[in-house]
Amino acid sequence: MFEENPPSRYLTRLAHPEDSQETNTAVSHVLRDQENTGHVPGDNSDSFASSSDLPANPTSPQSHLANLKMLMARQKAEYESKIASLEQRNRELQSEIKDMHSKLGQQQLKQTALQVPGDLITVFARVRTSSSK
């Protein structure tokens, strides 16, 4: 009855479009620096750098990597917030739908209850008409 929407569907657009260019620029700098130095840093994706952890040289690969990690942390927080908001709205709408189904069922019962006496009157009128002949 309801279309299932995985949360990833809502993650297709960046919260800040300028982040895309910023990310692309930072990634290209890091990759270029890695190629030039032959050094590929280890994956520390679970530990996000704080501003105090940034290297003094803003053009170093470590600085670019730290900037990327901070950007990823900010985007992750924004996406998680948006997902939570959408999930809450989904719950609210599902509750409204249940209430509407309940009200519809009650209206259908009332309609049926009102229709039965009308049908009985019609049947009795036909019986009288046929018996008087």
Side-chain angles (χ1 to χ4, degrees):
M1 180 156 101
F2 300 106
E3 177 185 336
E4 291 296 323
N5 295 320
S8 61
R9 173 177 170 226
Y10 301 106
L11 302 179
T12 58
R13 191 178 74 227
L14 290 173
H16 301 284
E18 67 276 7
D19 290 346
S20 177
Q21 180 60 35
E22 182 182 336
T23 301
N24 290 340
T25 302
V27 168
S28 65
H29 283 112
V30 169
L31 292 175
R32 184 190 69 232
D33 291 342
Q34 287 176 357
E35 288 175 3
N36 291 341
T37 62
H39 173 14
V40 178
D43 181 20
N44 295 328
S45 58
D46 290 337
S47 59
F48 294 104
S50 68
S51 58
S52 62
D53 295 337
L54 291 177
N57 182 358
T59 61
S60 73
Q62 292 82 6
S63 176
H64 291 299
L65 184 59
N67 286 335
L68 283 173
K69 286 182 179 182
M70 286 190 301
L71 177 63
M72 287 171 38
R74 184 179 76 212
Q75 288 176 342
K76 180 181 178 185
E78 289 171 357
Y79 291 151
E80 287 174 346
S81 173
K82 181 68 174 174
I83 289 169
S85 171
L86 291 169
E87 288 173 341
Q88 176 61 32
R89 182 66 179 140
N90 187 39
R91 286 189 294 275
E92 292 168 359
L93 290 172
Q94 286 179 348
S95 176
E96 285 182 40
I97 289 170
K98 285 180 184 177
D99 290 344
M100 291 175 150
H101 279 292
S102 175
K103 288 177 183 176
L104 178 62
Q106 291 172 359
Q107 288 178 350
Q108 288 173 335
L109 287 174
K110 287 178 185 176
Q111 180 66 29
T112 301
L114 293 172
Q115 187 175 353
V116 168
D119 291 346
L120 288 175
I121 292 171
T122 304
V123 168
F124 287 133
R126 287 182 187 162
V127 169
R128 272 192 197 169
T129 308
S130 64
S131 65
S132 63
K133 288 184 185 179

